[in-house]
Amino acid sequence: MHLLQGLLSPSSIPILHGQYMAVSILALSLYSFILNISTRYDLRLLLRDAWIFLCAVYSVIDYVFFQIKLDPVVFIFVNKLQMALLPIILFLIIKDVLQTTGLKSLLWERLVGLFLVCLPLLLLFPDSMYFKEGSFGRGYSYSVFFTLSTLMALLPIGLILVWQFKRRVGSQYRVELWVFLACYIGLLLTIGIDGIREPLLRGEAPISVIAIFALSGFGVVSSSLRYKRVADRMRYLAVYDELTDTLKRKSGLELIEKRLVGARKAKKNLSVILFDINNFKKLNDLYGYNAGNLCLAEIAAQLKKVIGAGDLLCRTEGDEFLIVADGVHDGWAASPILTRILEQMDGVWKYENHVIVLRYRLGISVFPHHGESVSELLRNADESLIHAKKERGRQLVVYNADLADRRRDAYETEERLKETLRGDIPGSRFILHYQPKVDSSGRIRGVEGLVRWEYQGKLIYPGDFIEIAERTGLIHEIGGIVLDIGCRSLARITANYGGVNMALNLSPQQLNDPQIIESVLERIAERGIQDGMLELELTESCVMDSWNSMDVRVFLQKVRSSGIKVSIDDFGTGQSSFSRLLDLPADVLKIDRSFVIHLPENPKSRQMCRSMISLAHELGMKVVAEGVETAGQAEFLFSIDCDLIQGYYFHKPMPLEALEKLLADGR
């Protein structure tokens, strides 16, 4: 009440220019604070403006309230409020300087503890300590508090000097820090002078208000400059990819749309080129994402050099870039851009002590021949890029009618697969045919379950639908059906004939399913299948591609520890190394038919097969040779201790009933 009466009593308030200055400081600091809140960008600036604002509040209390004739109790309360603000201001100053200079360490945690100790000690001071030797504010118990506060006030100066020595921040902050340091030292000096002169007790204006005004003005100016930098940065990030300094997909598509409008009016051609790094995922897996980012930045820099001045370059996703150029660019020789990519783009990239070979793939579509809209041109270029990735040796594929037919066929196949999975087409289903594996005596020791698709009375083989199922994600549902049928058939075979295990293929996409092992175990338990009778087949390329991106070894170990055997199919066609083969938790290696087809005439094929069988046996694995079609191939393989043979020479894949007839005959 005394404070309120003092504020409302004009006669008790001497009107001084310093009061208006204090209020203007408060307004300036509040503006700076609101300006930075509106940017929602830099926490450091918000903290800095918070303590500038508290400085302003402090100056208002010091300059206005102490000119009022206050009751001693109210005076002590206001004095305590001043003292409570001081550690908070110092706390925020030090945090701001630490964040700006990057000198973060254990000092930060220690400062927090120091401030937390100082604040409650201040508030515990009894009122009697404010009266000593007949004047206010001379209690000796303040000496510890003021000593600590002084030391903490000197810390920002020391931190900035340390930063200057280490040079840890960019040049854009250096001028700002030195201006802040000048204002801050001025504030400390003027506060010290005011402490000696005691201007308020003599009715004079404290000069520290001028220093606080300068500090607040600095906050407003630096906030305005930072606001401009933030606004420019936000505009840049809205249009450009920060990593590669190329256009983002959205902004790139908007510019392409404008280019198409101009091309239509001028009746000109426009080429859309999709540029992709083959097997870029492996680079990330082997050397980390930092290596991948550095590689992308380097490739973007090279692409900027090879494209023309008026061409567009944007990063569409991951390791894929989009180039839009006037004219027709449909071949290496006919296009200056493609020629420069071929001749100037470095296919060898060095990272630390590693030399990495990069292979590029390009898919191209041309306006208006391959599409009239941006979406159509991009779709066709993407289709061309997909085929460029599939075909060995080809770096560039231009969209054509054949690709259009393939895409249409793939779409129709996808829709028919969905219809079959939904049960919309009577008589359409997935079934398994079984190809026996025989030993040297000709007896059937195992079978491989091979999926077939019956659609409207036609039998469709995996080569015509598995790739589409994998690309669309339908393979998970189809894979579940295969497991169901295979486990049911295996239970029936082992119950009637015993001693015949079954291998079922697992798609690479199924490895990404965290529930795949539990799903297989549930089916095994439901059918009562014994350990070692079910075998899961993965291709060598599937295992090697996933070696680093997922812990495939742990997956395979879990499968084997669950009583399921692991078979590596197409062995010798991938990129496995001997070191990986030593760690490979597998039970069976299958020699690919590409090594078998030239047996027994080709000496290199003979030696390769002999070496693979010997190596597998040394590692405790059994060997199955697939694709055996002649007696000579079978005789040679058995002569070098191949365990089992699978191929048309003995048996073609057959329905379950035909397999059971063979088993019943004892063959």
Side-chain angles (χ1 to χ4, degrees):
M1 287 297 295
H2 293 288
L3 177 61
L4 185 60
Q5 290 173 2
L7 286 172
L8 296 177
S9 176
S11 60
S12 66
I13 306 178
I15 304 299
L16 300 174
H17 69 279
Q19 295 179 18
Y20 298 111
M21 186 182 292
V23 173
S24 67
I25 292 170
L26 189 63
L28 281 172
S29 60
L30 185 61
Y31 166 75
S32 178
F33 189 68
I34 293 173
L35 185 63
N36 276 298
I37 287 178
S38 66
T39 63
R40 298 179 182 179
Y41 180 73
D42 198 327
L43 176 62
R44 183 187 65 81
L45 287 179
L46 292 179
L47 292 171
R48 189 206 60 199
D49 287 342
W51 64 255
I52 290 178
F53 180 70
L54 287 173
C55 280
V57 173
Y58 183 92
S59 70
V60 169
I61 294 173
D62 203 20
Y63 212 100
V64 179
F65 289 174
F66 278 12
Q67 304 297 323
I68 305 171
K69 298 177 181 179
L70 299 176
D71 184 274
V73 176
V74 178
F75 176 84
I76 291 171
F77 171 77
V78 175
N79 197 284
K80 282 187 176 182
L81 180 60
Q82 278 188 291
M83 302 298 291
L85 284 174
L86 182 59
I88 298 173
I89 292 170
L90 289 173
F91 174 80
L92 292 171
I93 290 173
I94 295 170
K95 183 175 181 180
D96 174 40
V97 172
L98 281 169
Q99 288 185 332
T100 305
T101 58
L103 299 172
K104 297 180 182 179
S105 65
L106 289 176
L107 176 65
W108 172 244
E109 287 78 8
R110 292 168 185 169
L111 285 173
V112 172
L114 186 60
F115 281 116
L116 292 177
V117 170
C118 289
L119 284 173
L121 283 178
L122 173 64
L123 298 177
L124 289 174
F125 289 158
D127 292 353
S128 60
M129 299 183 73
Y130 283 79
F131 300 91
K132 191 73 174 176
E133 299 178 1
S135 62
F136 296 133
R138 295 185 181 275
Y140 296 119
S141 298
Y142 284 157
S143 60
V144 175
F145 171 77
F146 282 123
T147 301
L148 291 175
S149 297
T150 303
L151 290 174
M152 288 184 285
L154 295 175
L155 273 176
I157 300 175
L159 289 169
I160 292 177
L161 293 175
V162 172
W163 159 80
Q164 173 66 20
F165 178 74
K166 293 190 174 182
R167 297 283 186 178
R168 285 198 175 185
V169 296
S171 58
Q172 63 174 321
Y173 294 118
R174 289 175 184 166
V175 174
E176 182 181 332
L177 272 174
W178 288 117
V179 173
F180 158 74
L181 188 60
C183 293
Y184 183 69
I185 292 174
L187 177 61
L188 294 183
L189 291 174
T190 54
I191 288 175
I193 294 170
D194 285 343
I196 296 171
R197 293 178 61 250
E198 297 182 337
L200 291 177
L201 294 178
R202 298 191 310 203
E204 298 176 2
I207 60 174
S208 59
V209 173
I210 299 173
I212 294 175
F213 182 83
L215 197 57
S216 299
F218 158 75
V220 173
V221 172
S222 64
S223 294
S224 301
L225 292 175
R226 175 51 66 92
Y227 180 81
K228 183 179 183 304
R229 286 199 295 262
V230 169
D232 292 343
R233 183 68 174 167
M234 291 175 68
R235 283 193 292 269
Y236 172 83
L237 293 177
V239 177
Y240 290 93
D241 175 62
E242 186 176 16
L243 176 63
T244 60
D245 193 31
T246 58
L247 290 168
K248 285 185 174 179
R249 181 183 179 89
K250 181 181 178 182
S251 51
L253 294 182
E254 291 173 354
L255 290 175
I256 295 172
E257 190 67 56
K258 294 179 181 178
R259 294 284 291 269
L260 277 183
V261 173
R264 288 191 190 98
K265 291 180 179 178
K267 296 182 179 180
K268 293 182 178 179
N269 297 113
L270 200 67
S271 293
V272 174
I273 307 168
L274 280 179
F275 177 97
D276 181 89
I277 308 167
N278 209 31
N279 294 326
F280 181 76
K281 184 175 179 294
K282 285 186 179 180
L283 189 149
N284 275 332
D285 294 339
L286 289 172
Y287 306 109
Y289 287 103
N290 182 56
N293 289 340
L294 291 174
C295 180
L296 285 175
E298 175 63 25
I299 287 172
Q302 292 183 22
L303 283 172
K304 289 176 187 176
K305 294 178 182 178
V306 300
I307 65 174
D311 300 332
L312 293 179
L313 174 65
C314 71
R315 182 186 177 193
T316 55
E317 60 178 65
D319 59 324
E320 188 177 278
F321 293 89
L322 172 64
I323 302 169
V324 179
D326 291 329
V328 178
H329 300 270
D330 58 358
W332 297 114
S335 165
I337 293 177
L338 298 180
T339 300
R340 288 194 293 268
I341 289 176
L342 179 65
E343 295 177 352
Q344 299 178 24
M345 291 288 289
D346 194 358
V348 178
W349 184 67
K350 295 181 180 179
Y351 175 71
E352 296 180 346
N353 296 325
H354 308 286
V355 177
I356 302 165
V357 178
L358 301 175
R359 292 183 175 86
Y360 308 129
R361 295 291 183 267
L362 294 93
I364 300 175
S365 63
V366 179
F367 169 84
H369 310 305
H370 305 143
E372 294 279 347
S373 65
V374 174
S375 59
E376 193 175 3
L377 288 168
L378 280 177
R379 185 175 67 246
N380 293 338
D382 186 60
E383 188 74 26
S384 304
L385 182 61
I386 290 172
H387 285 280
K389 290 179 180 180
K390 289 179 187 176
E391 298 184 23
R392 293 183 178 181
R394 293 192 65 183
Q395 288 181 279
L396 181 150
V397 172
V398 181
Y399 189 76
N400 54 49
D402 182 51
L403 293 181
D405 293 338
R406 291 190 202 177
R407 187 178 66 199
R408 184 168 51 254
D409 292 342
Y411 176 77
E412 292 175 356
T413 300
E414 179 186 349
E415 292 303 309
R416 290 169 182 170
L417 286 171
K418 291 178 180 178
E419 291 173 350
T420 302
L421 291 170
R422 289 194 303 262
D424 294 345
I425 308 297
S428 294
R429 58 175 182 161
F430 295 98
I431 61 172
L432 288 183
H433 280 186
Y434 305 90
Q435 187 171 30
K437 304 173 189 176
V438 302
D439 61 14
S440 57
S441 68
R443 293 184 63 85
I444 298 175
R445 298 300 184 184
V447 295
E448 179 181 0
L450 301 168
V451 66
R452 302 289 187 261
W453 176 25
E454 285 186 348
Y455 185 82
Q456 294 183 339
K458 181 182 178 182
L459 194 65
I460 304 173
Y461 291 87
D464 295 327
F465 68 89
I466 285 295
E467 182 184 342
I468 296 168
E470 289 180 334
R471 198 169 70 214
T472 58
L474 298 176
I475 192 64
H476 293 284
E477 197 170 350
I478 295 172
I481 295 172
V482 169
L483 284 172
D484 280 334
I485 298 172
C487 289
R488 185 167 62 246
S489 300
L490 178 58
R492 178 169 158 180
I493 291 170
T494 52
N496 296 326
Y497 309 102
V500 178
N501 68 348
M502 179 180 294
L504 297 175
N505 291 282
L506 209 59
S507 166
Q509 279 71 22
Q510 289 178 276
L511 289 179
N512 298 325
D513 182 1
Q515 305 299 321
I516 183 64
I517 295 179
E518 289 75 8
S519 177
V520 174
L521 291 177
E522 285 178 7
R523 290 175 170 89
I524 289 176
E526 183 181 350
R527 299 295 174 182
I529 297 171
Q530 298 176 0
D531 288 354
M533 302 308 296
L534 180 64
E535 186 179 301
L536 294 181
E537 272 193 18
L538 294 90
T539 63
E540 181 194 13
S541 58
C542 166
V543 174
M544 293 303 112
D545 288 347
S546 305
W547 195 265
N548 292 282
S549 60
M550 64 167 290
D551 200 347
V552 70
R553 286 165 290 184
V554 174
F555 171 81
L556 296 178
Q557 286 164 357
K558 286 182 179 179
V559 170
R560 296 182 74 201
S561 64
S562 302
I564 305 169
K565 289 185 177 180
V566 172
S567 174
I568 304 301
D569 196 8
D570 299 338
F571 183 72
T573 61
Q575 299 177 1
S576 58
S577 65
F578 283 108
S579 61
R580 290 181 178 178
L581 188 60
L582 289 172
D583 295 333
L584 189 62
D587 301 282
V588 179
L589 287 185
K590 295 189 72 175
I591 299 176
D592 186 70
R593 71 182 303 274
S594 60
F595 296 99
V596 174
I597 193 170
H598 299 297
L599 291 177
E601 295 83 10
N602 190 301
K604 291 184 179 180
S605 295
R606 292 199 304 268
Q607 187 57 45
M608 286 293 295
C609 290
R610 185 179 288 109
S611 299
M612 284 189 280
I613 291 171
S614 176
L615 178 62
H617 285 167
E618 287 292 333
L619 296 174
M621 303 178 193
K622 289 190 174 183
V623 180
V624 177
E626 60 182 356
V628 176
E629 298 180 354
T630 67
Q633 293 170 352
E635 289 172 4
F636 175 77
L637 288 166
F638 282 134
S639 72
I640 59 173
D641 296 328
C642 184
D643 299 291
L644 298 174
I645 286 178
Q646 176 182 351
Y648 281 17
Y649 175 70
F650 290 100
H651 303 286
K652 293 182 179 180
M654 61 192 72
L656 180 61
E657 294 75 14
L659 173 65
E660 288 182 314
K661 186 175 185 305
L662 280 178
L663 293 172
D665 293 341
R667 288 185 286 164

